[in-house]
Amino acid sequence: MELLFNITIFPGMLYFLAWTVLLFWFFRKFMAALHKRVGPHFNGPAGSYQTLFDFTKLLTKESVTPSGVNPYLFSLMPILAALIAMLPSAFIPWTPSTTVVPTEYGVLALVVLIGIEPFLLFLSGFGSDNKYSFLGGIRILTQMISSETAFFLAALSPALLFGTLNLQTITESASWLSFVVLIPAFVLYFIALLALLEQPPFNIPDAEQEIVYGFYTEYSGTNYFLLKFAEFAEFMAVYAGATVLFLGGYKGLLVDGYLCFFLKMLLMAMVMMAIRAATPRVTMKQMIRLFWQYLVPLSLLNIAWIMLAKIYLLGGMA
Amino acid sequence: MKKTIQIPLGSQHIALLEPIKFRFECENEKIIAVDSDVGFVHRGVERACATKFSFDSVPYVVARICGLCAITHSLASTMAIESLMEGEVSPKANYLRILLVELDRIHSHLLCLAHVSENAGYEAMFMRIMGDREPIMELLELITGNRVQFDYVCIGGVNRDIDSRIVATTQTTLNTLKSKIQEYIAEFSSNWSLALKYKNIGTLSLEDAYRYNAIGPLARATGLATDVRSSSKLLPYDEVGFKIVVGESGDIYARNMVRLQEILNSIEMCRNIVEGLPEGEILTPFKGKPQGKRLQDSKPLEES
């Protein structure tokens, strides 16, 4: 019974749907404020029903499968992408008592499940039999390979610091001191996160002005909805990962609980939007140079810093 | 095995302002060849002007060639017709024509800058510039009655006069815009990530600009000092403070800078015009029909 509740409602389907609808609306409103526009306005209070209506519209529209593609690959990929994007939430300690799958290897599961996602998106672009989609897919792969080294090394630093891969233990042992020690790792994680989520300035795979809509180009209707849903579920997985690993999870200043967790995720979404409003897109070459020349060596240095800090600052902890 | 991939762009594409089709030959992320097709907007304007309309309505027809540069085409054809007729345009009308051309240049340059930043993936900058372009469009509406597609110029002068209220609005609008433009100059020249997209990209050399007859900001950014405003003496540009703006490097960055500096110069000119506008008629009648032969009888240009 509790498992059913977990799958359908709390860290499961309904939770992700609500998150997608609300965060989409929030992005549009926040972006509009940064652009000095109004944003969604007419439906509901401050236009908040707009995304709900948009998604309903997408679900009722025809889902076109172009001729010449492999229909199984083409239609399977959105479902698979959405499912895999939702899986990491099973390992996240949302509240002190809610972890669906309590495991000793939470960090590993999180990192691997986040890492698979771009590959599925590449396959969806590859299966579309369209030049724009294919190029978008290739760009995703290139970006993934470049950004993941930094991402993984940054994500593993809290595990090194606390000497455990258990997300629950990491959350519990987080303190102000460990937060300060982990700030460089958090910055690296955040930059790699932008590349992994294809957000500006690294929105190279769906660069509208170059390759129309990247791997999304051929998708419509329900399939497009599923891909968008996967994207937002992926946002949640990555934010939640950052919150647990670096920001102390559900711990708050006054009270612990899910609200603190949510506020931290929202804060990261806002920072991401602010970066989006402040930067133009970099090119592929610049992105690769940034990651391999600067971020990967820096993340290795960061590991060394974590080791030093563990020995000299937090000597008695682990 | 072929190492390149062909990417079609257009005829309708989000990065394009007008329907035009490109076929890029790409090697990895590098474009090595391009094939273009521009035949999407042939509307028969030339034929219509030659057969359907009398000479005094031709300026209004050619204004429809481009909605944004509404005054450029009609002004050119009006002045061509005027040069074939007897009469003199009053100084005031000439100044008003310059005013409109320069306001048109300001909003057109702003539109171009907005699209350049949008194509670099910088949508916030696009919104900012388009927002700052809006007061200029409102100013145009105030002066001519229309935001775009204003039939302001006519044979013998202009169709509407400006009053003290318009002068005051123009001055305040241009003052605000000037400070905004200075912000943009700072942003475009010092923003590191914009420089990554613009500096040394799409460079046109001075020799190429000369050989392929480049005009406008594209040519001036390479260092080629060509400007129809200084080379032709049809409008009294030297009296209102016109300065030619020339860039150096010929890349996108230099073009942006040339455009921004030209906007500053245009603002200066507009302010000079509205402050020192002489009294006089705005419309002096031209009598008769233009002198000259019909199109079929005339010789090609270089022989006559």
Side-chain angles (χ1 to χ4, degrees), chain B residues 76-148:
Chain B
S77 71
T78 308
M79 281 165 54
I81 294 169
E82 277 168 359
S83 69
L84 296 172
M85 292 169 77
E86 303 265 321
E88 185 88 15
V89 181
S90 72
K92 185 177 183 183
N94 265 338
Y95 286 130
L96 285 177
R97 284 177 177 183
I98 295 183
L99 175 69
L100 258 285
V101 170
E102 292 310 316
L103 284 177
D104 202 59
R105 181 185 312 277
I106 292 172
H107 91 72
S108 170
H109 275 3
L110 283 175
L111 181 84
C112 186
L113 287 164
H115 273 278
V116 165
S117 15
E118 206 241 349
N119 286 355
Y122 197 177
E123 53 183 7
M125 195 68 170
F126 172 81
M127 298 285 173
R128 255 177 81 188
I129 298 181
M130 288 305 254
D132 290 341
R133 177 175 170 262
E134 205 50 35
I136 298 293
M137 303 299 282
E138 276 159 16
L139 197 59
L140 283 173
E141 187 180 2
L142 199 64
I143 294 174
T144 67
N146 257 353
R147 283 164 61 88
V148 289

Side-chain angles (χ1 to χ4, degrees), chain A residues 131-132 139 209 276-277 281, chain B residues 6 8 29 118 120 123-124:
Chain A
K131 258 176 201 164
Y132 299 128
R139 284 177 172 205
Q209 291 82 12
R276 175 170 171 177
R281 184 172 49 244
Chain B
Q6 269 197 351
E29 293 278 318
E118 206 241 349
E123 53 183 7

Side-chain angles (χ1 to χ4, degrees), chain A residues 149-151 153-154 157 183-189 191 289-306:
Chain A
T149 318
F151 183 79
L153 286 175
S157 34
I183 282 178
F186 181 52
V187 172
L188 288 170
Y189 184 96
I191 297 173
R289 188 182 302 139
L290 173 73
F291 275 99
W292 289 113
Q293 244 176 32
Y294 300 105
L295 285 199
V296 173
L298 276 179
S299 51
L300 288 169
L301 262 181
N302 171 55
I303 294 284
W305 153 245
I306 295 285

Side-chain angles (χ1 to χ4, degrees), chain B residues 196-247:
Chain B
L196 283 181
K197 290 291 257 197
Y198 293 154
K199 281 192 177 161
N200 300 322
I201 308 282
T203 311
L204 185 74
S205 68
L206 181 58
E207 291 77 39
D208 280 349
Y210 192 71
R211 187 156 40 140
Y212 295 117
N213 267 336
I215 52 167
L218 180 68
R220 290 195 281 281
T222 63
L224 190 64
T226 165
D227 197 321
V228 75
R229 289 177 287 175
S230 65
S231 58
S232 80
K233 299 291 174 197
L234 293 168
L235 287 172
Y237 262 107
D238 42 357
E239 294 165 25
V240 294
F242 168 68
K243 286 196 289 289
I244 191 162
V245 180
V246 178

